[in-house]
Every structure is written in structure tokens, then in C-alpha cells.
Amino acid sequence: MFRRRQSHNHEENDSLQRDAKVSELRAALGPLSGRSLRYCTDACLVRYLEARNWNVNKAKKMLEETLKWRAAFKPEEIRWHEVAHEGETGKVSRADFHDRLGRTVLIMRPGMQNTTSAENNIRHLVYIIENSILNLREGQEQMSWLIDFTGWSLNTNVPVKTARDIINILQNHYPERLAICILYNPPRIFEAFWKVVKYFLDPKTFQKVKFVYPKNKESLEVMKSLFDEENLPGEFGGKATLKYDHEEFSRMMAEDDVKTASHWGFDSKPCHVTNGYSGAETMPLAPPAS
């Protein structure tokens, strides 16, 4: 009885300390308005504090850098019709299933790379990440990434600089959003690329990256612990079929664009999608960034 009460008190103290840190960070940030205020929820502040080991000054600096980045990049303003051509092959998409903990799953297929513009590739990925966050289940803050290397080669690989820019955006502006990243059956030649790229990862992110090989028993146990094989596509050792229908996915994204507009307080109209594209006349009228 005493131990149970002691444990309860410990959890209560942790919660109080956490709330105090959140309040301290919010006060340090000063008055916020518009999109910055909308972005900086308590859950958001917790993620930045966790990313900086609950150091308020470091979390403040990190969050302020994100607010500057969001004001310039405007990720919440990107609409599917602007990046749909990047998604034609399904190189990055939100899966129609969740992991065992109910987290949103992103599927990346670098072997399906279809364009060469670093800027457009990054905008497309940021759009998918923002969309996945929008579709997180209540109480969920993180997502799982599955990377399928089927068809991957040095010819389809993104340049190291682009990979570094993507990693910087993910680590610096979407902290604690990644639960785990599965690199499934990468070819041996990928090791040379990985030896360079891994140095761009901070220690926390590095620990979340797992190499999984279908002939390795330990690897398969990792997959079984995270995913239901009935939902998991065959490309990742499951029993389901991985099919990407660009037109259907585009309809779903166009519908989500309306939800995004509503979330951020934009004036938006539903898009009519044909062959995976929507007309530019449906572009939402967005207020100036805060």
C-alpha cells in the first residue's frame, strides 16, 4: 500500500514539475498571436522541452527558430495540388493502417523517386508530415516511418545535401514527432550513403532508426512487436498488399486540405480532383503569417 501511494506521489510530482516547466517556457516566449499561438499548444511545448532535456532556455531557442522557419516556409499553406506531381509514384504517403500503438504510419519508397528538384521534394515531404500530424489520433503525438528499399539505387537516391536539409527540418522543427524509423532490407550499397548521413542525426533520432532484414530473426521480432502482420504490406514482411492509387490518395488529400484550412483558420473551398490534380482556383485565402 505504501509503495503504491509512493509511486502515485512520484507521478504526481513529475506531472507538477512538467506543468511548471511548460508554464516557464510559455512565459519565456512572451505574447504570441495568430498561427504562432495556434502552434504553441501545451503538447507542443512539451515536445520541445523533451527534445532539449527539459532545459527551458534551449527549448525556447529551438521553438523560436521553428516559428521563424514556419513563418518563412509556411508549411500550413502548402496544398496538395502544388505537390501532387511529386507524389505520382507514391514515394511518400500516409498509410491506411496504424501501428500497434495506434500511431500514424508514413511509408517512404525511395526507389520510386520521380523528380530531381530538392526544393519540391522537401515541400512534398513537409506536406505529408503536416497531413500526418493533422490525422494523428487523439492522445497521439508521434508517428512511425517505414522505408521500403525496393528498387533503390544510387541513381534514385537523393543527394547528401538534400538528405541533410530534410534531417535538419525533421529534427529541428518536428521534434519528438518520430517514434521509430524502420529501414527495411536496405541493399549493401546503402551503407556508404548511411555512413555519411548518420552524422547529421542527433543521438535521440539515431536511437529511433532501426535496420530490419527479413532473414534476421531479431529483426522480424521488432516488426511483429510494432505492427500487425495482417495490416502490414508484403514489402515489409506482412500479409497485406501495398497499393498506391494516386487519384484516390489525391481525393483524400484534397479533403484533408479543407480540414487543414479549418484548423489554421483559413477560408478554403473543397477541391475537385481529377487524375490526381486539383485546380489552382481552389487555393485558400490565407491570412498573413504571425
Side-chain angles (χ1 to χ4, degrees), residues 195-214:
K195 283 179 181 178
V196 176
V197 169
K198 69 180 182 180
Y199 291 107
F200 303 141
L201 299 175
D202 65 35
K204 276 192 171 185
T205 304
F206 184 81
Q207 292 298 320
K208 295 175 182 179
V209 178
K210 306 295 180 185
F211 283 75
V212 171
Y213 298 94

Side-chain angles (χ1 to χ4, degrees), residues 105-106 108 125 129 143-147 170 178 180-182:
V105 176
L106 251 67
M108 302 186 73
L125 178 59
I129 292 172
M143 61 192 84
S144 296
W145 285 27
L146 287 172
I147 303 181
L170 295 178
L178 179 67
I180 192 165
C181 178
I182 301 291

Side-chain angles (χ1 to χ4, degrees), residues 49-102:
L49 284 163
E50 286 183 346
R52 290 297 179 261
N53 295 315
W54 295 89
N55 182 303
V56 172
N57 289 332
K58 290 181 179 180
K60 174 179 178 283
K61 182 179 178 181
M62 185 185 193
L63 184 46
E64 286 176 339
E65 288 299 316
T66 291
L67 294 178
K68 289 179 186 176
W69 175 79
R70 292 187 71 89
F73 198 90
K74 296 180 172 58
E76 69 278 10
E77 288 188 22
I78 304 172
R79 294 295 176 264
W80 177 247
H81 70 264
E82 301 172 37
V83 296
H85 63 286
E86 290 287 339
E88 285 179 348
T89 59
K91 63 187 177 188
V92 185
S93 61
R94 175 164 56 85
D96 60 358
F97 61 92
H98 295 78
D99 68 12
R100 289 192 185 276
L101 294 179

Side-chain angles (χ1 to χ4, degrees), residues 114-272:
N114 61 328
T115 62
T116 58
S117 168
E119 181 182 353
N120 290 339
N121 268 287
I122 291 172
R123 278 176 63 80
H124 175 243
L125 178 59
V126 166
Y127 173 88
I128 297 293
I129 292 172
E130 290 278 324
N131 176 268
S132 298
I133 292 171
L134 180 74
N135 283 280
L136 285 172
R137 292 177 173 177
E138 188 174 352
Q140 291 287 0
E141 292 289 320
Q142 296 184 313
M143 61 192 84
S144 296
W145 285 27
L146 287 172
I147 303 181
D148 167 29
F149 281 87
T150 302
W152 182 89
S153 69
L154 290 177
N155 291 330
T156 61
N157 193 39
V158 298
V160 170
K161 182 183 182 303
T162 304
R164 183 187 63 191
D165 290 344
I166 289 171
I167 289 169
N168 285 340
I169 288 173
L170 295 178
Q171 290 184 157
N172 297 331
H173 306 311
Y174 295 96
E176 298 302 315
R177 284 299 193 186
L178 179 67
I180 192 165
C181 178
I182 301 291
L183 305 182
Y184 194 84
N185 202 27
R188 185 165 293 180
I189 195 172
F190 176 76
E191 292 177 11
F193 180 73
W194 174 247
K195 283 179 181 178
V196 176
V197 169
K198 69 180 182 180
Y199 291 107
F200 303 141
L201 299 175
D202 65 35
K204 276 192 171 185
T205 304
F206 184 81
Q207 292 298 320
K208 295 175 182 179
V209 178
K210 306 295 180 185
F211 283 75
V212 171
Y213 298 94
K215 294 181 180 179
N216 183 295
K217 188 176 180 181
E218 190 176 329
S219 289
L220 295 180
E221 289 303 316
V222 170
M223 295 301 285
K224 285 181 182 178
S225 69
L226 291 168
F227 303 97
D228 182 344
E229 65 177 356
E230 296 296 328
N231 297 329
L232 194 65
E235 286 80 355
F236 300 102
K239 296 181 179 180
T241 302
L242 177 59
K243 287 193 294 186
Y244 176 76
D245 185 326
H246 186 57
E247 191 162 345
E248 181 58 34
F249 190 77
S250 293
R251 286 197 194 95
M252 186 167 66
M253 293 301 99
E255 290 173 3
D256 280 354
D257 280 350
V258 178
K259 289 197 291 184
T260 298
S262 175
H263 175 80
W264 291 102
F266 299 164
D267 177 19
S268 182
K269 299 175 184 177
C271 295
H272 174 67

